[in-house]
């Protein structure tokens, strides 16, 4: 390990504190990535100010270069992707007003792999890169390495907007990179996940184009209504990556539990959503679970209540 690791991160923590305090400049349009460390990323357009509030790429270069020593340790294969997504955030046609952040899972993988090395040298994971400040995959738009399909090797240039759903310039099959975590419907999962909608639907079509996966379904029954209107008709369920998780099979009927994008008035089928083959018995369970979720919680201080009863009893005796 090079001696620069300790020195670099000592400087990095100071730089992050100083640069994060700079005022946020007025947003501009997308611009080419000029940060050398990030030119290997599967996007070539960014937007300033970035997520660390640096108003120019020149400032971002000064800050991100301080991580070179940590990167050389290869403590996490997600570290460079996460750093570049923060310092040179991907800029697309659809998200020019607000650059897309990396997913929380990417941050957590980078932190898990690299924080032990920082602790060894008496440093901690920078607060400016806190994983709590980036979105959870199933609740917002974010990017991760597994959700981006790059152009084939040998292509001279990258597409300007690799996350634009209308761009057909990315090669490879997104399904090859998708690893859906299996989930089983249970009361614990339902109460914890707090889904925005639950429907019974038949899958008509599954579309995977580049990074953009969607499912077209025919709604048969609405078990839980969303703020977004759900017609008993053919509708589209949207993801925020090239992976359809949970996976659906065409012509099969499912009970689908997912989230909503109120701003765009659409239903989401993303990581954390749940889909199981339709069963009447499962539908009845879901209705019971939803009733329990809506039920007001009981007081958590029975001791205080007993104390009040004892007090009232003494007053009556006196």
């Amino acid at each position: 390990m090079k001696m620069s690791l300790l020195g670099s991160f000592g400087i990095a923590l100071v730089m992050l504190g100083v640069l994060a305090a700079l005022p946020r400049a007025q947003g501009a349009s997308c611009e080419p990535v000029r940060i050398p460390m990030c030119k290997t990323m599967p996007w070539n357009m960014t937007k300033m100010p970035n997520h660390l509030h640096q108003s120019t790429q020149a400032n971002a270069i000064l800050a991100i270069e301080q991580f070179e020593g940590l990167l050389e340790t290869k403590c996490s294969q997600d570290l460079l992707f996460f750093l570049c997504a923060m310092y040179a955030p991907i800029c697309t046609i659809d998200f020019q007003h607000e650059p897309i952040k990396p997913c929380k899972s990417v941050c957590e993988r980078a932190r898990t792999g690299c924080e032990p090395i920082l602790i060894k040298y008496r440093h901690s994971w920078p607060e400016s890169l806190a994983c709590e400040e980036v979105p959870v995959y199933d609740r917002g738009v974010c990017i991760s390495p597994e959700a981006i399909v790059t152009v084939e090797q040998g292509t001279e240039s990258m597409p300007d907007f690799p996350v634009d759903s209308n761009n057909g310039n990315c090669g490879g099959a997104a399904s090859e990179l998708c690893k859906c975590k299996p989930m089983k419907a249970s009361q614990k999962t339902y109460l914890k996940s707090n889904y925005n909608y639950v429907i019974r639907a038949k899958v008509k079509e599954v579309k995977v184009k580049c990074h953009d996966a969607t499912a077209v379904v025919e709604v048969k029954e609405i078990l839980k209504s969303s703020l977004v209107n759900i017609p008993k008709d053919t509708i589209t369920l949207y993801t925020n990556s090239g992976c359809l998780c949970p996976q659906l099979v065409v012509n099969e009927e499912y009970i689908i539990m997912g989230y909503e994008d109120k701003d765009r008035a659409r239903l989401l089928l993303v990581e954390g959503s749940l889909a199981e083959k339709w069963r009447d018995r499962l539908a009845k369970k879901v209705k019971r679970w939803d009733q329990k979720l809506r039920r007001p919680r009981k007081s958590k201080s029975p001791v205080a209540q007993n104390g009040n009863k004892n007090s009232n009893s003494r007053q009556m005796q006196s």
Side-chain angles (χ1 to χ4, degrees), residues 110-125:
R111 179 173 181 169
T112 298
C114 298
E115 190 169 33
I117 294 178
L118 293 174
I119 293 174
K120 181 179 178 180
Y121 285 88
R122 298 182 180 179
H123 292 295
S124 59
W125 187 257

Side-chain angles (χ1 to χ4, degrees), residues 88-107:
I90 187 170
C91 184
T92 74
I93 293 173
D94 294 332
F95 295 93
Q96 288 194 48
H97 295 295
E98 180 139 7
I100 303 171
K101 289 185 177 182
C103 297
K104 185 177 181 179
S105 59
V106 181
C107 178

Side-chain angles (χ1 to χ4, degrees), residues 268-287:
L268 303 178
L269 186 70
V270 292
E271 185 179 351
S273 299
L274 201 152
E276 282 198 22
K277 295 286 181 66
W278 173 262
R279 302 192 312 273
D280 289 335
R281 185 178 177 184
L282 177 58
K284 291 177 181 177
K285 285 184 178 181
V286 170
K287 289 177 181 178

Side-chain angles (χ1 to χ4, degrees), residues 185 190 195 197-199 255-259 269 273-275 286 289:
Y190 189 86
Y195 296 111
Y197 74 90
V198 181
I199 58 174
I255 181 167
I256 301 173
M257 313 176 198
Y259 301 96
L269 186 70
S273 299
L274 201 152
V286 170
W289 298 341

Side-chain angles (χ1 to χ4, degrees), residues 41 67 69-83 105-117 125 145:
M41 292 294 105
F67 291 90
L70 191 64
L71 285 164
E72 287 175 4
T73 68
K74 298 181 179 179
C75 54
S76 170
Q77 62 181 3
D78 292 290
L79 180 60
L80 181 59
F81 184 97
F82 173 68
L83 291 174
S105 59
V106 181
C107 178
E108 289 175 338
R109 291 198 299 262
R111 179 173 181 169
T112 298
C114 298
E115 190 169 33
I117 294 178
W125 187 257

Side-chain angles (χ1 to χ4, degrees), residues 112-313:
T112 298
C114 298
E115 190 169 33
I117 294 178
L118 293 174
I119 293 174
K120 181 179 178 180
Y121 285 88
R122 298 182 180 179
H123 292 295
S124 59
W125 187 257
E127 289 185 7
S128 57
L129 299 179
C131 298
E132 293 74 24
E133 300 301 319
V134 293
V136 177
Y137 178 77
D138 60 4
R139 299 299 175 89
V141 176
C142 60
I143 59 168
S144 61
E146 58 271 19
I148 295 182
V149 182
T150 63
V151 295
E152 295 177 353
Q153 290 184 354
T155 303
E156 291 183 1
S157 61
M158 296 289 292
D160 285 345
F161 302 102
V163 196
D164 175 19
S165 59
N166 295 318
N167 191 337
N169 290 330
C170 52
S175 59
E176 295 175 1
L177 300 176
C178 297
K179 295 181 180 179
C180 298
K181 182 180 179 181
M183 290 181 63
K184 194 79 174 172
S186 67
Q187 177 175 298
K188 182 179 180 182
T189 299
Y190 189 86
L191 297 179
K192 180 180 179 182
S193 300
N194 196 19
Y195 296 111
N196 297 130
Y197 74 90
V198 181
I199 58 174
R200 172 188 181 183
K202 183 177 181 179
V203 181
K204 307 295 288 185
E205 188 179 4
V206 173
K207 300 178 182 178
V208 179
K209 181 181 178 182
C210 194
H211 59 278
D212 188 17
T214 57
V216 179
V217 302
E218 181 183 354
V219 179
K220 300 286 188 179
E221 184 179 351
I222 302 170
L223 285 82
K224 180 178 181 178
S225 299
S226 163
L227 292 177
V228 176
N229 180 50
I230 307 176
K232 283 193 176 180
D233 199 351
T234 301
I235 62 171
T236 300
L237 305 179
Y238 295 86
T239 67
N240 50 13
S241 77
C243 296
L244 188 65
C245 292
Q247 296 178 336
L248 302 176
V249 177
V250 175
N251 293 326
E252 293 287 351
E253 201 165 291
Y254 292 88
I255 181 167
I256 301 173
M257 313 176 198
Y259 301 96
E260 63 189 9
D261 182 347
K262 290 185 290 186
D263 295 334
R264 294 188 175 188
R266 61 188 192 179
L267 302 180
L268 303 178
L269 186 70
V270 292
E271 185 179 351
S273 299
L274 201 152
E276 282 198 22
K277 295 286 181 66
W278 173 262
R279 302 192 312 273
D280 289 335
R281 185 178 177 184
L282 177 58
K284 291 177 181 177
K285 285 184 178 181
V286 170
K287 289 177 181 178
R288 288 201 302 270
W289 298 341
D290 197 56
Q291 288 176 353
K292 187 169 184 178
L293 190 64
R294 295 169 184 271
R295 213 174 288 157
R297 295 181 179 180
K298 296 179 180 180
S299 174
K300 294 183 178 180
S301 55
V303 175
Q305 292 178 355
N306 291 335
N308 291 334
K309 289 181 180 179
N310 294 336
S311 175
N312 293 335
S313 175

